[in-house]
Amino acid sequence: MRVLVLSDIHSNLAALQAVLDDAGEVDITWSLGDIVGYGPEPNECIQMLQSRPHVAIAGNHDWGVLGKLDLADFNVDARIANLWNREQLTPESLAYLQALPEKRVEGDCTLAHGSPRYPIWEYLISSNVAGANFAHFDTAICLVGHTHVPILFRQVAEDMECQAIYLPEAQRVRLDDARYIINPGSVGQPRDGDPRAAYLLLDTEESIIEHRRVAYDIAATQAKMRAADLPRRNSSRLEVGW
Ligand code: ZN
């Protein structure tokens, strides 16, 4: 099965459209949370996902718009954008987000937004923290988002040790029998210094992954953010990938 793995779309329809076009035909799309927040088109991004075979889980920004998280825990620009996103959402979009689980298992893969241990909030930014998380899922692979940085953690030994490996772009990488935690990066707000939208293709039969980047019309998204009076910092960061 050819799976499109994407995360952290953040209401950026131009970036999502570019990813879907670039990925080509897939059997299913797995969305790892944070469909909304930050950007200007939350309903359109939800509808775009709904128009294709997919499964999805919730992220902290999805819970933010639902009032399931205290927005005091968000930085001020994220909070303003989250409140704006909340106002835009149709009853159908709210119902869709409300139904998203925190975690799910698809074949050999566990899907969690932040981490398998604390799906909504934990950031896997170091091999120590990632290593401790291997005890919190049973499948060979766990797919996460949340940091907006594409990375792969490979478990070296049962004692929680693991390697952090930056994913090479546009290279098909065959996974061995080790266990993995893999982050595809962010579609709508990359934070690794590369402003292009990030995603992952996964061949579940061959255990092959391919990390890809695709340029999109950043200016178009920024113009919509300006028109909506969304925080300037949120739009300017898009062009530097931070
Ligand atoms: Zn996010």
Side-chain angles (χ1 to χ4, degrees):
M1 192 165 68
R2 185 174 156 93
V3 182
L4 168 58
V5 183
L6 41 81
S7 191
D8 299 275
I9 297 164
H10 283 302
S11 303
N12 190 338
L13 185 67
L16 176 59
Q17 186 65 65
V19 164
L20 298 180
D21 291 346
D22 190 67
E25 240 180 73
V26 296
D27 296 304
I28 193 162
T29 298
W30 293 349
S31 169
L32 306 178
D34 279 6
I35 302 170
V36 302
Y38 289 120
E41 289 169 292
N43 291 306
E44 292 81 354
C45 287
I46 290 171
Q47 287 156 10
M48 183 68 80
L49 275 181
Q50 285 179 309
S51 71
R52 46 197 294 129
H54 81 288
V55 298
I57 54 170
N60 53 312
H61 285 256
D62 306 318
W63 273 25
V65 295
L66 294 171
K68 291 169 88 168
L69 282 183
D70 186 354
L71 293 183
D73 292 333
F74 284 45
N75 72 54
V76 62
D77 292 326
R79 183 163 64 241
I80 292 167
N82 198 273
L83 289 169
W84 184 88
N85 268 245
R86 181 187 292 180
E87 285 167 16
Q88 312 310 309
L89 289 168
T90 63
E92 292 76 20
S93 293
L94 287 167
Y96 171 86
L97 294 176
Q98 192 77 49
L100 297 180
E102 284 179 59
K103 205 154 76 161
R104 61 187 300 153
V105 173
E106 296 292 321
D108 273 347
C109 299
T110 298
L111 280 50
H113 180 62
S115 76
R117 178 167 57 181
Y118 304 119
I120 298 297
W121 267 120
E122 187 173 34
Y123 288 90
L124 296 188
I125 48 171
S126 73
S127 47
N128 280 349
V129 180
N133 266 277
F134 278 96
H136 293 268
F137 65 100
D138 300 321
T139 52
I141 299 168
C142 180
L143 298 165
V144 299
H146 196 39
T147 64
H148 298 206
V149 176
I151 198 164
L152 174 152
F153 296 102
R154 180 179 180 274
Q155 191 180 35
V156 176
E158 289 282 327
D159 64 357
M160 297 184 180
E161 198 184 334
C162 78
Q163 302 168 304
I165 301 164
Y166 285 97
L167 292 164
E169 184 183 336
Q171 281 180 40
R172 288 164 58 81
V173 177
R174 189 182 295 272
L175 303 177
D176 59 19
D177 288 339
R179 297 177 73 218
Y180 293 89
I181 296 174
I182 305 170
N183 189 325
S186 168
V187 171
Q189 195 199 78
R191 291 181 193 159
D192 61 342
D194 183 340
R196 296 175 300 164
Y199 70 98
L200 192 81
L201 290 170
L202 166 68
D203 181 326
T204 55
E205 278 92 32
E206 303 289 330
S207 287
I208 291 174
I209 58 168
E210 183 181 350
H211 170 56
R212 287 201 191 168
R213 304 301 287 248
V214 59
Y216 71 96
D217 191 347
I218 293 173
T221 296
Q222 289 175 319
K224 287 174 184 165
M225 291 172 80
R226 273 197 300 276
D229 213 14
L230 283 160
R232 279 296 172 112
R233 209 170 74 106
N234 291 347
S235 54
S236 58
R237 68 191 297 180
L238 292 177
E239 65 202 49
V240 285
W242 165 79

